Amino acid sequence: GIPRTNNQNSKMLNALSLFCLMFAILGAKATTTSESIQEILNQTLDKYGDPGFFTGLQFSYLTADSDESIATTAGFTSTDKNATVTPETTFGWGSITKEFFNAVLFSLQGEGKVSLTDTIGDHFPEYFADVPTDSDQVVWPELWKDAKIYQLLNMTSGITDQFHYFGAYIYLGKIKSWNDILPKQWSMEQLVNLAAEFQINELKICEAMKFCFAPGTSYNYSNTGYMLVGMIAEKVSGSTLEELFQQIVLPHTPSDGIASYHGGAPLSADLIDQMAQGYCNIFVPSTPAGTDGTNWPYSLLGPAGGLIGNSAGLNGLIRALFRGQIVNKKLTDQYFNDYMVNTKTGQPVKDRKTECGLACYGLGIYYSYSSTMGDMYLYAGQPLAYWTMFYYIPCYDLVYSLSKNSASFQIAPLETTLTDVLSELTTTQPDLFKTPKNPKFCPNDTNIVAAAPGFLEVEAGTA
C-alpha cells in the first residue's frame, strides 16, 4: 500500500487508545449489536462518503467461538448506486498482504530454502558485480549487498519505496505525472531496479528525505523491499507468488470468506464484477479525486499489497495465522519476536510494554500494547483505490475489520468508526470480553510474552 509517515502511524492508533478508554467506562445499552453497528456505518457514510469519495462500507467481526464472521454493510458499490454493498463484496487489502507474504516466506524457510538472515548479495550476487561503465547491465547500490532479508521486511533496509522515487522523479521532471505510472504493468524486478537507479543517481535527495540509509540504522516504510524479497521467494521456490499464495495461504480462507492474490496479470472481468468500484483520492492533480482505480495494475503492489477479498476472508485468515494454522508456531514466534523494531528509531524493541504504546513494527504487522486490552495487532492497508484495516486482540481471540472503496490520507473518520463499533460490541455483547481466551496476552499479567502470529498456545520462555 501507500507508504506512511510516523505521524500517520500515530494517528492510526488514536482509535485504539480511545477504544480502550471506552471499554473501561461504558455501560450496557438496550439496542442490539446489529442495529448499533448499522447506525454507525450509516452515519459514517452520510458524513464522510462524499468528501472521501467512497460509496460503501463493509465491517465484520469474528469471535473466538465462531467459524464465521458477523458482517454489516452500508452504501453502494459505486457512484451509480445500482448495487448495494453485501458481505460478499470484495475490496483491496493493500499492505495487509505483507503478513501473509511473510507466512509464505516462513514456509520456505521451514523447507530450508531461505533464511531471514540471508543477505541480498547471497541471492543476487550478479547485481553487485563489477561491470564496464558502458555496459547496459543493471547494478544495485553496494550498500544493499549486506542488507538482510528481515531488514527488508521490517522496514530497516534503507531501500527507498517506489512511491517515494516516483514522486521524486515527477518533482524532478523525469516523469510527467502519475498517469505515466498507474496504468502500466510492472514486474518486481523493474520496480527494484528503479529504486536502485534512484538511490545511485539521486543519493543526496534520497538521504536528505531520509529514504536511504545504511541497513539497520533507521526505519522507513518501503514496499520495494517486499518486491525484492518477492524476487527471492520466486527464485528459491521455482514458483510464482500467485502459486505460493495459493498453496500456502489461501487454502485457509474460511467458508464465508473470499480471498485471492494478484501481483501480475490484470484483474479478470469476473473478479472486478465482485469488487466494489474503487476510487482514488491521493494522486491529485494527476488523477482527480474520485478517479476510478478499480483495475489499476496490482503488479505495482505485488507481495506488498496484492490481496483482494471480503472482510470475512480477512478475519478468518488473520485468525488462522495467529493460531498457527498457516505457519509453524515456533518458527513464526521466533521471527516476529526477534525482529520487532521501534518505528521512531528502527532499533530492536527491548520492552514491548513500555516502547509500543503507539506502535512497533514487526515483519509485516504493527504491534501495540494497551494497559486495558493487552497485546494488540493491527494494520491499515491502502492500495491505490481502497482502504482496509483490521485489529486482532489475542486476549479475547477477537478479529474485526473495516473496508471502504476509496484511498485517501484522510482516514481518521474510519478509525473513529472502528472505535465506535468496538464500543458497541463491549456494551451489547459483554460476554465476549468476560473470559480471556489467551490470558498471557491480557493486561496486568506477569507472564505476558510478545505475542506473535501462530504462537498463542506456546508458553512463555519456550523456544
Side-chain angles (χ1 to χ4, degrees):
I2 310 302
R4 306 165 181 80
T5 64
N6 284 331
N7 184 50
Q8 288 165 336
N9 290 335
S10 297
K11 289 181 179 179
M12 183 174 70
L13 289 150
N14 285 343
L16 172 61
S17 300
L18 182 58
F19 163 60
C20 293
L21 175 62
M22 289 182 172
F23 176 84
I25 64 175
L26 285 176
K29 294 184 179 180
T31 186
T32 66
T33 303
S34 59
E35 290 172 345
S36 301
I37 295 176
Q38 187 68 66
E39 181 179 356
I40 291 169
L41 295 188
N42 289 344
Q43 290 175 350
T44 299
L45 191 60
D46 290 342
K47 187 173 182 179
Y48 300 108
D50 286 341
F53 292 94
F54 61 93
T55 62
L57 296 168
Q58 183 185 80
F59 171 85
S60 71
Y61 64 98
L62 179 62
T63 64
D65 300 322
S66 177
D67 293 328
E68 294 188 353
S69 292
I70 299 173
T72 305
T73 63
F76 298 89
T77 60
S78 66
T79 55
D80 61 22
K81 298 184 178 181
N82 289 331
T84 58
V85 175
T86 72
E88 291 74 36
T89 303
T90 58
F91 298 77
W93 293 354
S95 288
I96 293 171
T97 302
K98 291 181 174 70
E99 50 258 42
F100 296 111
F101 171 64
N102 282 310
V104 169
L105 200 66
F106 298 160
S107 180
L108 295 177
Q109 191 278 161
E111 298 173 13
K113 295 180 178 178
V114 69
S115 169
L116 264 70
T117 58
D118 290 350
T119 67
I120 298 176
D122 290 335
H123 291 278
F124 292 112
E126 64 272 22
Y127 286 100
F128 303 99
D130 292 330
V131 297
T133 55
D134 59 349
S135 173
D136 292 332
Q137 181 177 334
V138 174
V139 295
W140 291 349
E142 190 67 23
L143 202 60
W144 290 13
K145 185 176 182 179
D146 295 325
K148 294 178 172 59
I149 288 177
Y150 73 81
Q151 293 172 327
L152 296 164
L153 302 178
N154 69 8
M155 310 300 180
T156 63
S157 69
I159 295 177
T160 190
D161 182 83
Q162 57 250 41
F163 294 99
H164 289 156
Y165 63 70
F166 281 144
Y169 279 151
I170 291 173
Y171 175 79
L172 294 170
K174 295 184 177 182
I175 297 176
K176 185 176 180 180
S177 75
W178 287 103
N179 290 328
D180 297 325
I181 299 167
L182 297 174
K184 183 179 178 180
Q185 289 289 334
W186 297 89
S187 69
M188 292 185 290
E189 186 175 12
Q190 284 177 313
L191 294 169
V192 172
N193 288 345
L194 281 172
E197 176 188 301
F198 176 73
Q199 195 153 339
I200 290 171
N201 297 334
E202 307 292 346
L203 182 59
K204 289 184 178 180
I205 294 176
C206 196
E207 290 178 336
M209 298 299 292
K210 299 183 179 180
F211 297 155
C212 303
F213 47 82
T217 62
S218 189
Y219 172 92
N220 179 59
Y221 198 94
S222 174
N223 294 289
T224 308
Y226 273 73
M227 298 294 178
L228 207 161
V229 183
M231 292 171 61
I232 293 174
E234 290 192 338
K235 182 177 182 180
V236 301
S237 68
S239 300
T240 66
L241 289 185
E242 284 82 357
E243 292 168 338
L244 291 171
F245 270 89
Q246 191 62 47
Q247 295 163 8
I248 297 168
V249 176
L250 297 177
H252 300 276
T253 306
S255 59
D256 61 337
I258 302 169
S260 56
Y261 174 79
H262 307 274
L267 304 182
S268 68
D270 289 343
L271 185 67
I272 292 174
D273 287 344
Q274 196 174 35
M275 299 177 71
Q277 188 166 329
Y279 300 101
C280 181
N281 196 19
I282 296 176
F283 303 109
V284 179
S286 297
T287 56
T291 298
D292 182 4
T294 309
N295 199 26
W296 278 344
Y298 272 70
S299 60
L300 190 59
L301 305 174
L307 280 172
I308 294 171
N310 66 347
S311 57
L314 175 57
N315 293 344
L317 286 172
I318 288 292
R319 191 170 71 176
L321 184 63
F322 276 81
R323 285 185 172 184
Q325 296 167 350
I326 299 179
V327 184
N328 174 278
K329 296 176 183 179
K330 293 184 179 180
L331 182 65
T332 306
D333 176 76
Q334 175 188 348
Y335 290 125
F336 270 76
N337 285 336
D338 290 352
Y339 303 115
M340 186 74 68
V341 297
N342 187 307
T343 57
K344 293 181 179 180
T345 65
Q347 298 306 301
V349 172
K350 296 180 180 179
D351 185 346
R352 294 190 182 195
K353 293 175 66 175
T354 60
E355 292 187 57
C356 300
L358 284 178
C360 295
Y361 193 83
L363 301 182
I365 198 166
Y366 285 99
Y367 166 88
S368 180
Y369 179 78
S370 161
S371 60
T372 304
M373 300 301 291
D375 294 336
M376 300 189 73
Y377 290 85
L378 61 150
Y379 220 127
Q382 184 160 260
L384 302 173
Y386 299 90
W387 180 91
T388 297
M389 187 172 188
F390 81 87
Y391 282 87
Y392 176 64
I393 307 174
C395 178
Y396 300 105
D397 198 17
L398 175 70
V399 194
Y400 54 99
S401 60
L402 176 69
S403 293
K404 70 180 176 77
N405 63 329
S406 76
S408 74
F409 289 122
Q410 299 173 336
I411 62 174
L414 281 302
E415 295 170 340
T416 301
T417 299
L418 280 170
T419 301
D420 293 344
V421 168
L422 262 294
S423 297
E424 291 300 328
L425 285 180
T426 63
T427 57
T428 60
Q429 295 198 55
D431 288 348
L432 294 178
F433 303 93
K434 281 185 177 179
T435 305
K437 304 299 181 182
N438 299 286
K440 58 179 172 282
F441 301 108
C442 300
N444 303 319
D445 188 326
T446 57
N447 197 34
I448 288 178
V449 298
F455 204 57
L456 293 181
E457 293 80 19
V458 180
E459 295 300 324
T462 58

